């Protein structure tokens, strides 16, 4: 009788394990954080201000910048200190030396280098799309002002 009970227990274990794996695969993804953000662009500086909502883990964020609809040749990878196409020393949570969390009331910014293309000039429309773990958080737009 012991071998039959062992086979029965093994079969039950396999069925339960399959159910757990199936449930994990079908589980919905974590919802994206909800945050109110604003954008300002002055000269070569792009600044994102967190106006309220969930704190944002910068290490999970993707930021994509377009100028007059054209994507920058080099996009920022967050957080960073020095990156090709950008001036060193971004401020706030975008800086690798920061706490990497953008909270309500915080502003994080970076400066586009003249070697990046298209050029960031006064009057141009800048669009910044922000996603957390691939899920959209915000699409922001501002006209670049002269400093």
């Amino acid at each position: 009788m012991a071998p039959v009970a062992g086979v029965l227990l093994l079969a039950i274990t396999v069925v339960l394990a399959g159910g757990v794996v199936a449930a994990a695969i079908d589980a919905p993804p974590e919802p994206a954080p909800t945050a109110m953000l604003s954008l300002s662009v002055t000269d070569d500086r792009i600044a994102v201000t967190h106006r309220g909502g969930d704190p944002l883990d910068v290490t999970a964020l993707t930021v994509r910048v377009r100028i007059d609809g054209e994507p920058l040749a080099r996009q920022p990878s967050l957080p960073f200190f020095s990156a090709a196409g950008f001036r060193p020393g971004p401020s706030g949570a975008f800086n690798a030396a920061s706490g990497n969390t953008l909270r309500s009331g915080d502003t994080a910014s970076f400066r586009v280098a003249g070697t990046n293309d298209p050029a960031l000039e006064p009057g141009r429309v800048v669009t910044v799309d922000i996603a957390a773990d691939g899920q959209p958080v915000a699409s922001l737009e501002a006209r670049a002002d002269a400093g």
Side-chain angles (χ1 to χ4, degrees):
M1 195 62 152
V4 172
V7 170
L8 184 58
L9 285 173
L10 178 61
I12 291 171
T13 302
V14 169
V15 169
L16 289 175
V20 169
V21 169
I25 291 172
D26 291 338
E30 287 290 318
T34 303
M36 292 185 311
L37 306 173
S38 65
L39 177 68
S40 65
V41 182
T42 305
D43 290 329
D44 63 353
R45 183 175 182 260
I46 296 174
V48 175
T49 300
H50 192 301
R51 301 285 180 194
D54 297 329
L56 300 175
D57 175 4
V58 174
T59 62
L61 294 183
T62 304
V63 173
R64 294 293 168 251
V65 179
R66 288 177 282 140
I67 299 175
D68 289 339
E70 187 178 341
L72 281 178
R74 293 195 170 113
Q75 298 287 339
S77 58
L78 300 178
F80 72 95
F81 179 77
S82 185
F86 299 91
R87 294 180 187 238
S91 67
F94 291 165
N95 190 304
S98 75
N100 293 335
T101 302
L102 186 60
R103 292 183 172 83
S104 183
D106 291 348
T107 297
S109 68
F110 54 87
R111 295 172 58 209
V112 179
T115 57
N116 213 333
D117 188 52
L120 181 54
E121 299 169 340
R124 298 190 89 177
V125 176
V126 177
T127 305
V128 175
D129 295 314
I130 300 175
D133 292 324
Q135 297 183 25
V137 173
S139 184
L140 310 168
E141 190 172 279
R143 189 167 299 278
D145 293 328

